[in-house]
């Protein structure tokens, strides 16, 4: 299971690196690299999802002002949506595993 999650996160991060974040406009966002432990990997994925969300918000505001390319805005929003779906799926799996552990006989 952890190998599948690792593969999914690596694929997601590779796709997210294709979209370049305008760092001069979004403060506090930095590139996140995968780490060794499972907790660090989850933290890295959460940071990446946050970065995607900030990029989507930034580009959406540019679109409202009429200064953004619509295709770029749509891609950023789709990336943010995919990141949110990934985070929710991982959360659901963690909760399910926790419930399974609680139901184990001692």
């Amino acid at each position: 299971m952890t190998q599948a999650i690792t593969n999914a996160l690596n694929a997601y991060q590779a796709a997210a690196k294709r979209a370049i974040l305008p760092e001069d406009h979004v403060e506090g966002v930095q590139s996140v690299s995968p780490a060794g432990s499972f907790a660090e990997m989850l933290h890295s994925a959460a940071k990446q999802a946050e970065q995607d969300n900030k990029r989507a918000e930034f580009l959406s505001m540019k679109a409202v002002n009429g200064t953004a390319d619509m295709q770029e805005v749509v891609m950023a929003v789709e990336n943010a949506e995919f990141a949110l779906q990934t985070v929710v799926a991982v959360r659901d799996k963690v909760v399910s595993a926790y419930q399974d552990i609680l139901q184990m006989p001692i």
Side-chain angles (χ1 to χ4, degrees), residues 19-96:
I20 300 172
L21 182 67
E23 294 184 17
D24 56 333
H25 297 290
V26 181
E27 297 177 19
V29 176
Q30 46 186 297
S31 179
V32 183
S33 62
S37 75
F38 183 71
E40 289 173 346
M41 184 178 61
L42 288 178
H43 179 68
S44 173
K47 284 290 188 183
Q48 187 67 45
E50 180 183 6
Q51 180 180 356
D52 287 346
N53 189 33
K54 286 183 180 182
R55 182 171 192 276
E57 288 177 8
F58 172 75
L59 289 174
S60 296
M61 292 305 295
K62 282 181 69 174
V64 168
N65 293 334
T67 60
D69 179 32
M70 256 327 172
Q71 183 178 5
E72 189 177 3
V73 173
V74 170
M75 290 296 292
V77 170
E78 285 180 4
N79 282 342
E81 182 180 358
F82 179 70
L84 178 62
Q85 289 173 352
T86 303
V87 168
V88 169
V90 170
R91 180 210 57 194
D92 291 346
K93 287 292 187 181
V94 168
V95 169
S96 174

